[in-house]
Amino acid sequence: MPTEKAIVLATTNRGKIAELRALLANTGITVKGLADFPDMGDIPETGTTFAENARLKAAAVARATGLPAVADDSGLCVDALDGAPGVHSARYDGENATDAGNNAKLLDALRHVPPEKRAARFVCAMAATTPDGRWAEARGEWPGVIAPSPRGGGGFGYDPLFFDPSLGRTAAQLTPEEKNARSHRGQALARLIPLLDTLLA
Ligand code: IMP
């Protein structure tokens, strides 16, 4: 019988928690979410890189809960926009931005940019830390192209505009399984999982 170990994923997003739980099934590691710690206040994401934000969130949650914590930070980087929206992806169109507003702003910013110059990537940084200050980190990138108009009804965020040329579909046209198998978050998580065993040993 493995000893019970618990980690907190620094999110209230049930999809992300379920994904990590599934990947850690049979490892003896229990995954908690921030819903299990209602007193945990807002964590400021003041970093200038995805990795910095992931570290800030993981450190804050480990400190507040006394448990090892995992955090991710992700976004879309567009070459023709010098990497924007980047760490500002969620609020590209302003403080109360919606997915539709963010996508409209992105299309407008690229209106004069021809197809061959619309390269972009989704990036995800993951950081895990223990209350005694040990760390594990991983990163994933998913290259693609920004489509001229939205396509597909699945996913969230910039998925309808993110076209994967190797598949001939946007991220919003993929099943969740197809997306997880190649996404920036799927890649980062797959790299982090083997490191967690050592971190929690
Ligand atoms: P978060 O790091 O999960 O909070 O994501 C930050 C923002 O990046 C989201 O609000 C989305 O706008 C964008 N983003 C991150 N990952 C994805 C994705 O897989 N598809 C579409 N948009 C994403």
Side-chain angles (χ1 to χ4, degrees):
M1 218 16 213
T3 24
E4 206 212 315
K5 297 172 197 158
I7 56 169
V8 187
L9 186 60
T11 183
T12 52
N13 182 318
R14 288 189 196 183
K16 287 187 185 177
I17 294 166
E19 197 183 18
L20 187 60
R21 270 193 190 134
L23 284 163
L24 291 178
N26 310 319
T27 61
I29 302 174
T30 308
V31 181
K32 296 173 184 284
L34 285 189
D36 296 307
F37 301 93
D39 295 339
M40 175 90 216
D42 265 0
I43 307 164
E45 292 182 29
T46 50
T48 56
T49 64
F50 297 114
E52 212 181 317
N53 277 334
R55 282 183 214 125
L56 281 173
K57 285 188 267 188
V61 171
R63 202 163 43 239
T65 63
L67 289 171
V70 178
D72 74 332
D73 195 51
S74 59
L76 178 71
C77 300
V78 180
D79 290 3
L81 303 176
D82 292 328
V87 291
H88 307 294
S89 291
R91 288 174 204 85
Y92 186 43
D93 191 38
E95 204 42 50
N96 300 312
T98 60
D99 286 347
N102 285 336
N103 281 326
K105 179 163 174 174
L106 180 60
L107 281 182
D108 189 51
L110 294 176
R111 67 193 179 284
H112 300 306
V113 179
E116 69 278 10
K117 294 196 173 140
R118 294 169 77 101
R121 69 208 67 247
F122 276 130
V123 178
C124 176
M126 289 208 176
T129 189
T130 58
D132 64 358
R134 285 172 299 123
W135 287 90
E137 295 190 47
R139 182 183 170 92
E141 291 197 11
W142 184 14
V145 170
I146 302 304
S149 57
R151 242 186 285 164
F156 71 101
Y158 299 94
D159 279 348
L161 290 180
F162 186 81
F163 182 79
D164 183 328
S166 69
L167 296 173
R169 284 180 282 164
T170 67
Q173 292 175 307
L174 304 181
T175 64
E177 291 74 23
E178 285 173 322
K179 185 180 166 188
N180 287 339
R182 69 197 67 241
S183 79
H184 48 315
R185 211 171 353 267
Q187 292 180 46
L189 202 48
R191 290 184 184 127
L192 188 73
I193 297 288
L195 306 179
L196 284 183
D197 236 10
T198 317
L199 189 78
L200 301 183

